[in-house]
Each structure stands twice: as structure tokens, then as C-alpha cells.
Amino acid sequence: MANIISDETIEYVGILAKLELSSEEKEQAKKDMANMLDYIDTLNELDTTGVEPMSHVFPVHNVFREDVVTNADDKEQILANAPESKEGAFVVPKTFE
């Protein structure tokens, strides 16, 4: 375990995360953080020359369709479903006086 986490670091992270940790939880958090940093060190040993950075494992393209209005002239049909309408709009009960 090359990465040693200090008590001050755990206290600071606890303050940032707004956590109240018991002494046992602090010790476990120190071990967990050290393990994470050791794993990152292991990953840093890999040769990544020639590997392009990526944001996703699979190639992702914009799959959104163009927004096309198809029912713009259906105002009369839409208002036909309303229990009550007035001047081309729905009439709803008052929510405040």
C-alpha cells in the first residue's frame, strides 16, 4: 500500500461530504481511499500510447430526430375533447380566488 491517507484528509473529505464518521468508519474510509489510489496507480502503469481518449466504449452518435410539427392545425379537434372551451382555449376551474 503505497498511498497512505492521513487523518486530516479523512476529516477534510468528511467535512466536504457533510458526513459524520465514527472512528471505525474513518479507519475503513482510509483503507478504501488508499485501495482506490493504489488501483489508479496500477492503471497509470499501463502503456496507453496511441490510444485515443473516448467518452464511451461504443461509438455513440446523435440519435435524435428532427423536431417536426405534424398536428399544428388540429386546434378544433383538440378543443372538441374539452368539457368546456372559450375563445379557443380550455376552461378550467379557478385554483385561487
Side-chain angles (χ1 to χ4, degrees):
M1 206 157 77
N3 294 298
I4 299 173
I5 308 299
S6 67
D7 292 333
E8 293 81 20
T9 302
I10 292 297
E11 288 288 332
Y12 183 65
V13 170
I15 291 169
L16 290 176
K18 299 188 184 314
L19 296 175
E20 293 181 23
L21 301 174
S22 67
S23 58
E24 295 85 24
E25 291 172 326
K26 287 179 184 176
E27 288 303 315
Q28 185 61 45
K30 282 170 59 173
K31 290 177 188 174
D32 290 343
M33 287 179 71
N35 287 338
M36 285 186 267
L37 293 174
D38 287 340
Y39 183 70
I40 291 170
D41 287 343
T42 302
L43 290 176
N44 285 335
E45 293 174 6
L46 295 172
D47 180 23
T48 58
T49 55
V51 178
E52 291 185 38
M54 62 182 170
S55 62
H56 199 275
V57 177
F58 302 107
V60 177
H61 304 286
N62 187 356
V63 294
F64 297 117
R65 62 172 170 74
E66 192 66 31
D67 190 15
V68 178
V69 177
T70 58
N71 60 348
D73 299 332
D74 294 342
K75 186 175 184 180
E76 305 297 326
Q77 290 177 333
I78 293 170
L79 287 174
N81 293 321
E84 188 177 349
S85 64
K86 181 178 178 182
E87 298 176 6
F90 291 102
V91 175
V92 295
K94 289 182 180 181
T95 55
F96 61 91
E97 294 296 323

